[in-house]
Amino acid sequence: MTSSFRQMAEEALHRTILHNNETEIQYLTKQMELLDQHGMSNLNQTLLQNARGSARNIPDFIAEHNFGADLIRHDPQGVHLYEPPGYDRPPDFVLPRNNTTFYLQMKRLNHGEFENRRDHMLRRIQDQLRTITFGKFVSLQLAEDFTEQDVNPLVRLIETAAQADDASEHSYPTEIDPKATFFLFEPRNTTLDHLTLGSSTDMDWRDLTGEAETQIRSSLDKAIGAFTWNTDAQHVNLIVMEADQYDDMDISQAVFGEEIYSMDSDVATLRTARDTDGYFYQIQNADKLCGVVALRRTQRGTFISGYRKTLFINERFEGYIDQIRQEIGIDEVVRVNDRP
């Protein structure tokens, strides 16, 4: 049985840029076995079917796969259903519990324009590295001002370092003002036929405020259509978002409303309040959406990972916090008056 899951894992990861390696394959194989043992084999099939299409969509379905496994690890004895029949548009995860059913619609916050350009450059770099016959991994950091015009000279510098068998950190184009840094390292448990991009991270911190809130609201709009019923004692609706690139402030502004600062001149005190534009307070969402759960990976740099979970709770439904914590394992709760 394990061999069949391994074949599925290999096929699912085959078209990815950075994650088609032995470690990721082993992690995904074990996760597929776990889901199959707990009645979510259809989630394995969904991942595999979408991996055969566009490689661009694989991270979205890996996020679903990770979250499904996380639910099982939190409550191995519970019933967890993935896209069950009987709904016009089935929610991604349905958890029937005694007198209450939890409906979880999953979204992975999509990349913005900057991230799409960066992904395209990484694909170009990976394609060029495959033509360089040195069996090593490349760990790469890119600055915000790295552009398409930098791809070819960077790859030539990496090739030169590989020929010189130099394992020190290198900077491109200069150490004083680098657009990229990299170092090469030997694989431990596999044999490589060419240079392979082993990891890639951003060199700089980027301010995504504003752009981030717009992206979050757009994703919420796409997800909330799965719920054609309101939240009540029998139905708890939650939108779950993989949000590694977004901080709590971004999500708070989107769901609770933008923070407004004013100065009370009588007592020289800065006052804060929320605008009325929060997603939870829109008429069509107020009674429907119980909360938003932000997922952040506990293992950085890998596809397969567990999650740390932060619940942003609609104040109308604060009485459901303990139930939600019990069923899906919440690490932190953010309320409307909290300032992340």
PDB file of all heavy atoms in Angstrom, residues 295-323:
ATOM      1  N   LEU A 295      -3.947  30.358   8.818  1.00  0.00           N
ATOM      2  CA  LEU A 295      -2.996  29.255   8.964  1.00  0.00           C
ATOM      3  C   LEU A 295      -1.603  29.736   8.607  1.00  0.00           C
ATOM      4  O   LEU A 295      -1.415  30.372   7.569  1.00  0.00           O
ATOM      5  CB  LEU A 295      -3.373  28.095   8.033  1.00  0.00           C
ATOM      6  CG  LEU A 295      -4.787  27.539   8.123  1.00  0.00           C
ATOM      7  CD1 LEU A 295      -4.969  26.428   7.095  1.00  0.00           C
ATOM      8  CD2 LEU A 295      -5.079  27.019   9.518  1.00  0.00           C
ATOM      9  N   ARG A 296      -0.642  29.403   9.453  1.00  0.00           N
ATOM     10  CA  ARG A 296       0.756  29.719   9.150  1.00  0.00           C
ATOM     11  C   ARG A 296       1.593  28.475   9.397  1.00  0.00           C
ATOM     12  O   ARG A 296       1.464  27.823  10.440  1.00  0.00           O
ATOM     13  CB  ARG A 296       1.229  30.911   9.982  1.00  0.00           C
ATOM     14  CG  ARG A 296       0.425  32.177   9.632  1.00  0.00           C
ATOM     15  CD  ARG A 296       0.945  33.405  10.334  1.00  0.00           C
ATOM     16  NE  ARG A 296       0.203  34.587   9.882  1.00  0.00           N
ATOM     17  CZ  ARG A 296      -0.822  35.127  10.535  1.00  0.00           C
ATOM     18  NH1 ARG A 296      -1.250  34.589  11.663  1.00  0.00           N
ATOM     19  NH2 ARG A 296      -1.424  36.207  10.068  1.00  0.00           N
ATOM     20  N   ARG A 297       2.438  28.166   8.447  1.00  0.00           N
ATOM     21  CA  ARG A 297       3.180  26.905   8.478  1.00  0.00           C
ATOM     22  C   ARG A 297       4.131  26.840   9.679  1.00  0.00           C
ATOM     23  O   ARG A 297       4.789  27.813  10.014  1.00  0.00           O
ATOM     24  CB  ARG A 297       3.979  26.731   7.187  1.00  0.00           C
ATOM     25  CG  ARG A 297       3.104  26.503   5.968  1.00  0.00           C
ATOM     26  CD  ARG A 297       3.906  26.638   4.677  1.00  0.00           C
ATOM     27  NE  ARG A 297       3.042  26.362   3.532  1.00  0.00           N
ATOM     28  CZ  ARG A 297       3.014  25.188   2.899  1.00  0.00           C
ATOM     29  NH1 ARG A 297       3.821  24.218   3.281  1.00  0.00           N
ATOM     30  NH2 ARG A 297       2.198  24.997   1.882  1.00  0.00           N
ATOM     31  N   THR A 298       4.187  25.649  10.268  1.00  0.00           N
ATOM     32  CA  THR A 298       5.126  25.418  11.365  1.00  0.00           C
ATOM     33  C   THR A 298       6.469  24.921  10.855  1.00  0.00           C
ATOM     34  O   THR A 298       7.449  24.910  11.598  1.00  0.00           O
ATOM     35  CB  THR A 298       4.553  24.390  12.363  1.00  0.00           C
ATOM     36  OG1 THR A 298       4.227  23.177  11.662  1.00  0.00           O
ATOM     37  CG2 THR A 298       3.300  24.937  13.031  1.00  0.00           C
ATOM     38  N   GLN A 299       6.538  24.487   9.595  1.00  0.00           N
ATOM     39  CA  GLN A 299       7.797  24.068   8.984  1.00  0.00           C
ATOM     40  C   GLN A 299       8.054  24.954   7.773  1.00  0.00           C
ATOM     41  O   GLN A 299       7.334  24.875   6.774  1.00  0.00           O
ATOM     42  CB  GLN A 299       7.730  22.601   8.554  1.00  0.00           C
ATOM     43  CG  GLN A 299       7.617  21.628   9.719  1.00  0.00           C
ATOM     44  CD  GLN A 299       7.350  20.214   9.253  1.00  0.00           C
ATOM     45  OE1 GLN A 299       6.221  19.742   9.251  1.00  0.00           O
ATOM     46  NE2 GLN A 299       8.405  19.534   8.847  1.00  0.00           N
ATOM     47  N   ARG A 300       9.069  25.786   7.863  1.00  0.00           N
ATOM     48  CA  ARG A 300       9.355  26.735   6.797  1.00  0.00           C
ATOM     49  C   ARG A 300      10.142  26.056   5.680  1.00  0.00           C
ATOM     50  O   ARG A 300      10.952  25.165   5.909  1.00  0.00           O
ATOM     51  CB  ARG A 300      10.165  27.910   7.334  1.00  0.00           C
ATOM     52  CG  ARG A 300       9.544  28.597   8.525  1.00  0.00           C
ATOM     53  CD  ARG A 300       8.220  29.250   8.199  1.00  0.00           C
ATOM     54  NE  ARG A 300       8.378  30.355   7.271  1.00  0.00           N
ATOM     55  CZ  ARG A 300       7.366  31.086   6.817  1.00  0.00           C
ATOM     56  NH1 ARG A 300       6.130  30.802   7.202  1.00  0.00           N
ATOM     57  NH2 ARG A 300       7.581  32.082   5.978  1.00  0.00           N
ATOM     58  N   GLY A 301       9.881  26.498   4.445  1.00  0.00           N
ATOM     59  CA  GLY A 301      10.650  26.024   3.310  1.00  0.00           C
ATOM     60  C   GLY A 301      10.216  24.682   2.759  1.00  0.00           C
ATOM     61  O   GLY A 301      10.852  24.163   1.846  1.00  0.00           O
ATOM     62  N   THR A 302       9.156  24.092   3.311  1.00  0.00           N
ATOM     63  CA  THR A 302       8.674  22.811   2.805  1.00  0.00           C
ATOM     64  C   THR A 302       7.227  22.943   2.348  1.00  0.00           C
ATOM     65  O   THR A 302       6.481  23.806   2.814  1.00  0.00           O
ATOM     66  CB  THR A 302       8.755  21.706   3.872  1.00  0.00           C
ATOM     67  OG1 THR A 302       7.840  22.001   4.938  1.00  0.00           O
ATOM     68  CG2 THR A 302      10.161  21.590   4.441  1.00  0.00           C
ATOM     69  N   PHE A 303       6.818  22.067   1.436  1.00  0.00           N
ATOM     70  CA  PHE A 303       5.432  22.016   0.999  1.00  0.00           C
ATOM     71  C   PHE A 303       4.552  21.400   2.080  1.00  0.00           C
ATOM     72  O   PHE A 303       3.459  21.854   2.358  1.00  0.00           O
ATOM     73  CB  PHE A 303       5.347  21.165  -0.269  1.00  0.00           C
ATOM     74  CG  PHE A 303       4.916  21.938  -1.488  1.00  0.00           C
ATOM     75  CD1 PHE A 303       4.821  23.314  -1.498  1.00  0.00           C
ATOM     76  CD2 PHE A 303       4.603  21.263  -2.664  1.00  0.00           C
ATOM     77  CE1 PHE A 303       4.432  24.013  -2.623  1.00  0.00           C
ATOM     78  CE2 PHE A 303       4.207  21.944  -3.795  1.00  0.00           C
ATOM     79  CZ  PHE A 303       4.124  23.318  -3.772  1.00  0.00           C
ATOM     80  N   ILE A 304       5.019  20.314   2.657  1.00  0.00           N
ATOM     81  CA  ILE A 304       4.214  19.540   3.600  1.00  0.00           C
ATOM     82  C   ILE A 304       4.509  20.039   5.008  1.00  0.00           C
ATOM     83  O   ILE A 304       5.641  19.994   5.473  1.00  0.00           O
ATOM     84  CB  ILE A 304       4.520  18.033   3.483  1.00  0.00           C
ATOM     85  CG1 ILE A 304       4.473  17.590   2.016  1.00  0.00           C
ATOM     86  CG2 ILE A 304       3.546  17.230   4.338  1.00  0.00           C
ATOM     87  CD1 ILE A 304       3.176  17.929   1.296  1.00  0.00           C
ATOM     88  N   SER A 305       3.468  20.520   5.694  1.00  0.00           N
ATOM     89  CA  SER A 305       3.682  21.154   6.994  1.00  0.00           C
ATOM     90  C   SER A 305       2.389  21.162   7.788  1.00  0.00           C
ATOM     91  O   SER A 305       1.291  21.158   7.226  1.00  0.00           O
ATOM     92  CB  SER A 305       4.169  22.599   6.801  1.00  0.00           C
ATOM     93  OG  SER A 305       4.257  23.275   8.036  1.00  0.00           O
ATOM     94  N   GLY A 306       2.530  21.183   9.118  1.00  0.00           N
ATOM     95  CA  GLY A 306       1.408  21.494   9.971  1.00  0.00           C
ATOM     96  C   GLY A 306       1.206  23.001  10.024  1.00  0.00           C
ATOM     97  O   GLY A 306       1.939  23.768   9.390  1.00  0.00           O
ATOM     98  N   TYR A 307       0.200  23.440  10.802  1.00  0.00           N
ATOM     99  CA  TYR A 307      -0.139  24.855  10.853  1.00  0.00           C
ATOM    100  C   TYR A 307      -0.309  25.351  12.282  1.00  0.00           C
ATOM    101  O   TYR A 307      -0.820  24.627  13.148  1.00  0.00           O
ATOM    102  CB  TYR A 307      -1.449  25.124  10.108  1.00  0.00           C
ATOM    103  CG  TYR A 307      -1.384  24.969   8.619  1.00  0.00           C
ATOM    104  CD1 TYR A 307      -2.107  23.969   7.971  1.00  0.00           C
ATOM    105  CD2 TYR A 307      -0.621  25.833   7.844  1.00  0.00           C
ATOM    106  CE1 TYR A 307      -2.063  23.839   6.597  1.00  0.00           C
ATOM    107  CE2 TYR A 307      -0.569  25.705   6.471  1.00  0.00           C
ATOM    108  CZ  TYR A 307      -1.287  24.711   5.848  1.00  0.00           C
ATOM    109  OH  TYR A 307      -1.241  24.580   4.488  1.00  0.00           O
ATOM    110  N   ARG A 308       0.092  26.593  12.496  1.00  0.00           N
ATOM    111  CA  ARG A 308      -0.341  27.352  13.660  1.00  0.00           C
ATOM    112  C   ARG A 308      -1.598  28.105  13.247  1.00  0.00           C
ATOM    113  O   ARG A 308      -1.635  28.707  12.171  1.00  0.00           O
ATOM    114  CB  ARG A 308       0.755  28.314  14.110  1.00  0.00           C
ATOM    115  CG  ARG A 308       0.329  29.207  15.276  1.00  0.00           C
ATOM    116  CD  ARG A 308       1.467  30.107  15.752  1.00  0.00           C
ATOM    117  NE  ARG A 308       0.978  31.047  16.754  1.00  0.00           N
ATOM    118  CZ  ARG A 308       0.785  30.771  18.027  1.00  0.00           C
ATOM    119  NH1 ARG A 308       1.062  29.554  18.451  1.00  0.00           N
ATOM    120  NH2 ARG A 308       0.322  31.677  18.875  1.00  0.00           N
ATOM    121  N   LYS A 309      -2.632  28.109  14.114  1.00  0.00           N
ATOM    122  CA  LYS A 309      -3.944  28.621  13.723  1.00  0.00           C
ATOM    123  C   LYS A 309      -4.347  29.809  14.599  1.00  0.00           C
ATOM    124  O   LYS A 309      -4.340  29.713  15.821  1.00  0.00           O
ATOM    125  CB  LYS A 309      -4.991  27.516  13.834  1.00  0.00           C
ATOM    126  CG  LYS A 309      -4.641  26.231  13.091  1.00  0.00           C
ATOM    127  CD  LYS A 309      -5.707  25.187  13.288  1.00  0.00           C
ATOM    128  CE  LYS A 309      -5.276  23.846  12.728  1.00  0.00           C
ATOM    129  NZ  LYS A 309      -4.268  23.195  13.588  1.00  0.00           N
ATOM    130  N   THR A 310      -4.712  30.909  13.944  1.00  0.00           N
ATOM    131  CA  THR A 310      -5.197  32.107  14.634  1.00  0.00           C
ATOM    132  C   THR A 310      -6.639  32.355  14.208  1.00  0.00           C
ATOM    133  O   THR A 310      -6.930  32.476  13.019  1.00  0.00           O
ATOM    134  CB  THR A 310      -4.334  33.338  14.289  1.00  0.00           C
ATOM    135  OG1 THR A 310      -2.975  33.077  14.641  1.00  0.00           O
ATOM    136  CG2 THR A 310      -4.824  34.563  15.044  1.00  0.00           C
ATOM    137  N   LEU A 311      -7.537  32.418  15.179  1.00  0.00           N
ATOM    138  CA  LEU A 311      -8.961  32.647  14.914  1.00  0.00           C
ATOM    139  C   LEU A 311      -9.287  34.125  15.073  1.00  0.00           C
ATOM    140  O   LEU A 311      -9.072  34.716  16.131  1.00  0.00           O
ATOM    141  CB  LEU A 311      -9.815  31.825  15.879  1.00  0.00           C
ATOM    142  CG  LEU A 311     -11.320  32.125  15.887  1.00  0.00           C
ATOM    143  CD1 LEU A 311     -11.956  31.778  14.532  1.00  0.00           C
ATOM    144  CD2 LEU A 311     -12.015  31.379  17.016  1.00  0.00           C
ATOM    145  N   PHE A 312      -9.817  34.735  14.002  1.00  0.00           N
ATOM    146  CA  PHE A 312     -10.375  36.085  14.041  1.00  0.00           C
ATOM    147  C   PHE A 312     -11.887  35.905  14.149  1.00  0.00           C
ATOM    148  O   PHE A 312     -12.537  35.452  13.200  1.00  0.00           O
ATOM    149  CB  PHE A 312      -9.991  36.860  12.786  1.00  0.00           C
ATOM    150  CG  PHE A 312      -8.506  37.077  12.660  1.00  0.00           C
ATOM    151  CD1 PHE A 312      -7.679  36.063  12.191  1.00  0.00           C
ATOM    152  CD2 PHE A 312      -7.934  38.288  13.022  1.00  0.00           C
ATOM    153  CE1 PHE A 312      -6.312  36.250  12.095  1.00  0.00           C
ATOM    154  CE2 PHE A 312      -6.565  38.484  12.925  1.00  0.00           C
ATOM    155  CZ  PHE A 312      -5.752  37.462  12.457  1.00  0.00           C
ATOM    156  N   ILE A 313     -12.450  36.231  15.308  1.00  0.00           N
ATOM    157  CA  ILE A 313     -13.835  35.873  15.605  1.00  0.00           C
ATOM    158  C   ILE A 313     -14.787  37.046  15.383  1.00  0.00           C
ATOM    159  O   ILE A 313     -14.514  38.170  15.817  1.00  0.00           O
ATOM    160  CB  ILE A 313     -13.964  35.342  17.057  1.00  0.00           C
ATOM    161  CG1 ILE A 313     -15.347  34.760  17.328  1.00  0.00           C
ATOM    162  CG2 ILE A 313     -13.573  36.407  18.070  1.00  0.00           C
ATOM    163  CD1 ILE A 313     -15.611  33.450  16.626  1.00  0.00           C
ATOM    164  N   ASN A 314     -15.860  36.803  14.671  1.00  0.00           N
ATOM    165  CA  ASN A 314     -16.956  37.755  14.533  1.00  0.00           C
ATOM    166  C   ASN A 314     -17.568  37.949  15.921  1.00  0.00           C
ATOM    167  O   ASN A 314     -17.967  36.974  16.573  1.00  0.00           O
ATOM    168  CB  ASN A 314     -17.985  37.182  13.554  1.00  0.00           C
ATOM    169  CG  ASN A 314     -19.142  38.117  13.278  1.00  0.00           C
ATOM    170  OD1 ASN A 314     -19.439  39.027  14.046  1.00  0.00           O
ATOM    171  ND2 ASN A 314     -19.834  37.871  12.170  1.00  0.00           N
ATOM    172  N   GLU A 315     -17.643  39.189  16.401  1.00  0.00           N
ATOM    173  CA  GLU A 315     -18.058  39.411  17.784  1.00  0.00           C
ATOM    174  C   GLU A 315     -19.465  38.906  18.073  1.00  0.00           C
ATOM    175  O   GLU A 315     -19.806  38.643  19.231  1.00  0.00           O
ATOM    176  CB  GLU A 315     -17.934  40.891  18.153  1.00  0.00           C
ATOM    177  CG  GLU A 315     -18.811  41.837  17.393  1.00  0.00           C
ATOM    178  CD  GLU A 315     -18.614  43.281  17.865  1.00  0.00           C
ATOM    179  OE1 GLU A 315     -18.630  43.506  19.094  1.00  0.00           O
ATOM    180  OE2 GLU A 315     -18.437  44.166  17.009  1.00  0.00           O
ATOM    181  N   ARG A 316     -20.296  38.725  17.043  1.00  0.00           N
ATOM    182  CA  ARG A 316     -21.626  38.162  17.261  1.00  0.00           C
ATOM    183  C   ARG A 316     -21.568  36.722  17.754  1.00  0.00           C
ATOM    184  O   ARG A 316     -22.532  36.220  18.340  1.00  0.00           O
ATOM    185  CB  ARG A 316     -22.442  38.200  15.963  1.00  0.00           C
ATOM    186  CG  ARG A 316     -22.753  39.587  15.456  1.00  0.00           C
ATOM    187  CD  ARG A 316     -23.649  39.521  14.254  1.00  0.00           C
ATOM    188  NE  ARG A 316     -23.977  40.850  13.744  1.00  0.00           N
ATOM    189  CZ  ARG A 316     -25.123  41.183  13.180  1.00  0.00           C
ATOM    190  NH1 ARG A 316     -26.078  40.270  13.067  1.00  0.00           N
ATOM    191  NH2 ARG A 316     -25.329  42.399  12.730  1.00  0.00           N
ATOM    192  N   PHE A 317     -20.428  36.064  17.474  1.00  0.00           N
ATOM    193  CA  PHE A 317     -20.339  34.631  17.742  1.00  0.00           C
ATOM    194  C   PHE A 317     -19.195  34.281  18.691  1.00  0.00           C
ATOM    195  O   PHE A 317     -18.654  33.172  18.641  1.00  0.00           O
ATOM    196  CB  PHE A 317     -20.175  33.871  16.421  1.00  0.00           C
ATOM    197  CG  PHE A 317     -21.279  34.123  15.441  1.00  0.00           C
ATOM    198  CD1 PHE A 317     -21.035  34.811  14.254  1.00  0.00           C
ATOM    199  CD2 PHE A 317     -22.575  33.707  15.706  1.00  0.00           C
ATOM    200  CE1 PHE A 317     -22.054  35.062  13.341  1.00  0.00           C
ATOM    201  CE2 PHE A 317     -23.603  33.959  14.809  1.00  0.00           C
ATOM    202  CZ  PHE A 317     -23.350  34.631  13.622  1.00  0.00           C
ATOM    203  N   GLU A 318     -18.839  35.208  19.576  1.00  0.00           N
ATOM    204  CA  GLU A 318     -17.750  34.925  20.503  1.00  0.00           C
ATOM    205  C   GLU A 318     -18.056  33.750  21.416  1.00  0.00           C
ATOM    206  O   GLU A 318     -17.141  33.097  21.932  1.00  0.00           O
ATOM    207  CB  GLU A 318     -17.415  36.180  21.324  1.00  0.00           C
ATOM    208  CG  GLU A 318     -16.733  37.267  20.503  1.00  0.00           C
ATOM    209  CD  GLU A 318     -16.121  38.354  21.369  1.00  0.00           C
ATOM    210  OE1 GLU A 318     -16.057  38.174  22.610  1.00  0.00           O
ATOM    211  OE2 GLU A 318     -15.694  39.378  20.806  1.00  0.00           O
ATOM    212  N   GLY A 319     -19.318  33.435  21.618  1.00  0.00           N
ATOM    213  CA  GLY A 319     -19.688  32.289  22.441  1.00  0.00           C
ATOM    214  C   GLY A 319     -19.294  30.949  21.847  1.00  0.00           C
ATOM    215  O   GLY A 319     -19.352  29.925  22.542  1.00  0.00           O
ATOM    216  N   TYR A 320     -18.858  30.937  20.580  1.00  0.00           N
ATOM    217  CA  TYR A 320     -18.478  29.687  19.922  1.00  0.00           C
ATOM    218  C   TYR A 320     -16.969  29.415  19.992  1.00  0.00           C
ATOM    219  O   TYR A 320     -16.504  28.393  19.476  1.00  0.00           O
ATOM    220  CB  TYR A 320     -18.902  29.712  18.452  1.00  0.00           C
ATOM    221  CG  TYR A 320     -20.394  29.710  18.231  1.00  0.00           C
ATOM    222  CD1 TYR A 320     -21.111  30.905  18.238  1.00  0.00           C
ATOM    223  CD2 TYR A 320     -21.094  28.535  18.022  1.00  0.00           C
ATOM    224  CE1 TYR A 320     -22.478  30.924  18.045  1.00  0.00           C
ATOM    225  CE2 TYR A 320     -22.470  28.530  17.825  1.00  0.00           C
ATOM    226  CZ  TYR A 320     -23.150  29.728  17.841  1.00  0.00           C
ATOM    227  OH  TYR A 320     -24.512  29.742  17.657  1.00  0.00           O
ATOM    228  N   ILE A 321     -16.226  30.310  20.616  1.00  0.00           N
ATOM    229  CA  ILE A 321     -14.765  30.183  20.592  1.00  0.00           C
ATOM    230  C   ILE A 321     -14.303  28.846  21.160  1.00  0.00           C
ATOM    231  O   ILE A 321     -13.459  28.161  20.572  1.00  0.00           O
ATOM    232  CB  ILE A 321     -14.102  31.358  21.347  1.00  0.00           C
ATOM    233  CG1 ILE A 321     -14.282  32.661  20.558  1.00  0.00           C
ATOM    234  CG2 ILE A 321     -12.614  31.082  21.581  1.00  0.00           C
ATOM    235  CD1 ILE A 321     -13.770  33.894  21.294  1.00  0.00           C
ATOM    236  N   ASP A 322     -14.829  28.460  22.306  1.00  0.00           N
ATOM    237  CA  ASP A 322     -14.365  27.223  22.943  1.00  0.00           C
ATOM    238  C   ASP A 322     -14.658  26.006  22.075  1.00  0.00           C
ATOM    239  O   ASP A 322     -13.839  25.078  21.984  1.00  0.00           O
ATOM    240  CB  ASP A 322     -15.006  27.066  24.320  1.00  0.00           C
ATOM    241  CG  ASP A 322     -14.440  28.042  25.345  1.00  0.00           C
ATOM    242  OD1 ASP A 322     -13.349  28.592  25.093  1.00  0.00           O
ATOM    243  OD2 ASP A 322     -15.095  28.258  26.388  1.00  0.00           O
ATOM    244  N   GLN A 323     -15.818  25.978  21.436  1.00  0.00           N
ATOM    245  CA  GLN A 323     -16.147  24.864  20.554  1.00  0.00           C
ATOM    246  C   GLN A 323     -15.179  24.792  19.375  1.00  0.00           C
ATOM    247  O   GLN A 323     -14.706  23.714  19.003  1.00  0.00           O
ATOM    248  CB  GLN A 323     -17.571  25.009  20.015  1.00  0.00           C
ATOM    249  CG  GLN A 323     -18.671  24.664  20.986  1.00  0.00           C
ATOM    250  CD  GLN A 323     -20.037  24.839  20.335  1.00  0.00           C
ATOM    251  OE1 GLN A 323     -20.569  25.953  20.307  1.00  0.00           O
ATOM    252  NE2 GLN A 323     -20.581  23.765  19.812  1.00  0.00           N
TER     253      GLN A 323
END
